[in-house]
Amino acid sequence: MSRVLLPQQIDNAAPLWGALAHRLDGQTMGTTWQVRWVALGPLPEDRVRAAVQQELDLVVNQMSTWLPNSDLECFNRASAGTQHAVPEAMAEVLQAALWLADVSGGAFNPAAGALVNLWGFGPRLRYTDPDFVLPTNEAVQHALASNDWRSLCWDGALRQLHQPGGVLLDFSAIAKGYAVDRVSRRLAGMGLQHTLVEVGGELRGQGMHLGGQPWWVDLEAPPMAPGFSVLPTTRVALHGLSVATSGDYRRVYTQAGTRWPHTIDPRNGRPVGHGLASVSVLHPECLWADAWSTALTVLGREDGMALATEHGIAALFVQREADGNLSESISPAMHALAD
Ligand code: AMP
Ligand code: MG
């Protein structure tokens, strides 16, 4: 059984007869990227590759926590009381992230870097390192004291950010989606209208594939042990739409009998533990799909569904039930896309 989701607006401009399908891939942000497009005429692949690489590099150079000299890491190292000029792309992401931090009551928090590091998911001591130990309550309280996004006093008009001291930014929950948007827009600017862009599982589709077909994509499903019931596949026509999935099965470790996934609840300083296996969000912009999927994962099924409903966000929640099976909940905006 499968469910099919279609966008509400369809632009019928299919690729012309004789168009060819192309595909390029590579590595970025500790993961892979892939770009597919359908076009007539000879646009050299190396020109497309160079353009994609330029957009991805721009995001990494400004926003990576893994690059010691990224703008974000320079801010993270800065002394208390300093003001920082924020480059345009980073400002765009920061602005979106701060808005969602307010709206979600801090469930999404771009200033949660100290907590992310503490639980072994940052660039410093990793949970995979042999000397990694679970943080003490004291360490959690200490990191919690430095994750207030409001203390950044963001001035959007001047693009100035204040480092109150020890606040560590982490854009990993939103920057991949933003990178997908940038690549997609750049390709459109080169005249490519029929594109599918993917970075580390976050996707954005524009136009159509060959034969007037949309770019069909199946939502990522949590892996299941044999013997448990299988959920229906959800197939989406990514036509002017993006999709992002946050899951508790990616980058997770088990210690002291508990699963510690890489999504942190910045309100209590601990990895989320309310049994959501995954949240997928559909949105025209991949930045928002990415950020909302993380925010809703932190909020959990009930609070997440309430916020998604309030903001008209198309979301699919997959919950781990006590008997080991998975169950699904679909927000009204996602219901509206089901055929
Ligand atoms: P995603 O896979 O998009 O859900 O992003 C997860 C990554 O975002 C983690 O590896 C952390 O670096 C960071 N992160 C974890 N929890 C949060 C949170 N509550 N708000 C913002 N970023 C977070
Ligand atoms: Mg995300």
Side-chain angles (χ1 to χ4, degrees):
M1 268 250 299
S2 74
R3 175 189 297 120
V4 175
L5 302 177
L6 299 170
Q8 281 164 331
Q9 277 163 10
I10 296 181
D11 163 9
N12 283 323
L16 293 171
W17 189 84
L20 293 175
H22 304 259
R23 184 192 297 243
L24 286 175
D25 52 38
Q27 309 248 321
T28 187
M29 303 179 198
T31 182
T32 54
W33 62 263
Q34 189 179 92
V35 164
R36 297 170 68 185
W37 73 96
V38 169
L40 274 178
L43 185 64
E45 291 195 348
D46 53 355
R47 255 191 69 205
V48 178
R49 179 178 290 282
V52 171
Q53 202 60 54
Q54 205 179 28
E55 296 304 323
L56 296 172
D57 289 350
L58 180 141
V59 175
V60 169
N61 288 334
Q62 292 190 14
M63 295 172 239
S64 174
T65 44
W66 304 84
L67 192 70
N69 284 327
S70 69
D71 295 274
L72 185 142
E73 276 299 297
C74 290
F75 175 86
N76 285 350
R77 276 198 306 273
S79 345
T82 48
Q83 285 291 112
H84 299 264
V86 173
E88 209 171 324
M90 182 173 162
E92 201 183 323
V93 177
L94 179 66
Q95 186 99 13
L98 292 174
W99 180 85
L100 192 53
D102 282 336
V103 158
S104 67
F108 185 90
N109 185 347
L115 289 166
V116 171
N117 287 340
L118 190 65
W119 289 97
F121 299 109
R124 292 163 191 95
L125 188 60
R126 304 276 301 156
Y127 66 91
T128 43
D129 294 341
D131 47 349
F132 175 78
V133 283
L134 285 175
T136 59
N137 279 337
E138 215 180 4
V140 171
Q141 293 312 316
H142 188 257
L144 267 173
S146 68
N147 83 346
D148 185 0
W149 71 96
R150 289 158 298 213
S151 68
L152 297 165
C153 305
W154 168 237
D155 182 332
L158 293 178
R159 279 206 255 121
Q160 289 272 339
L161 196 64
H162 172 74
Q163 171 55 278
V167 173
L168 301 186
L169 298 176
D170 181 330
F171 287 3
S172 302
I174 186 170
K176 264 193 291 168
Y178 177 70
V180 168
D181 288 335
R182 279 196 78 101
V183 169
S184 180
R185 286 195 202 106
R186 177 71 179 268
L187 297 179
M190 295 169 80
L192 301 177
Q193 298 151 22
H194 305 286
T195 56
L196 182 69
V197 177
E198 186 240 341
V199 177
E202 327 287 38
L203 292 123
R204 173 169 166 146
Q206 298 294 139
M208 293 186 191
H209 198 13
L210 292 176
Q213 284 291 314
W215 300 101
W216 289 113
V217 168
D218 287 348
L219 295 192
E220 200 180 294
M224 276 301 275
F228 291 98
S229 56
V230 178
L231 293 174
T233 310
T234 300
R235 184 157 290 185
V236 191
L238 276 192
H239 174 80
L241 273 183
S242 303
V243 61
T245 299
S246 290
D248 77 348
Y249 49 91
R250 281 192 272 169
R251 288 198 284 145
V252 55
Y253 57 94
T254 307
Q255 232 181 69
T258 308
R259 280 166 73 82
W260 305 100
H262 71 138
T263 310
I264 315 285
D265 187 337
R267 300 166 303 176
N268 63 17
R270 299 181 168 277
V272 294
H274 40 40
L276 261 183
S278 71
V279 179
S280 296
V281 171
L282 293 179
H283 195 283
E285 306 278 320
C286 201
L287 169 144
W288 288 115
D290 191 3
W292 273 108
S293 66
T294 305
L296 299 178
T297 298
V298 175
L299 288 167
R301 182 166 57 178
E302 280 73 33
D303 291 354
M305 182 63 87
L307 197 67
T309 303
E310 184 187 335
H311 288 271
I313 297 298
L316 169 73
F317 297 79
V318 179
Q319 180 78 25
R320 291 181 196 282
E321 300 296 352
D323 64 3
N325 283 307
L326 298 174
S327 70
E328 293 185 313
S329 312
I330 293 174
S331 72
M334 188 168 274
H335 260 299
L337 303 178
D339 67 341

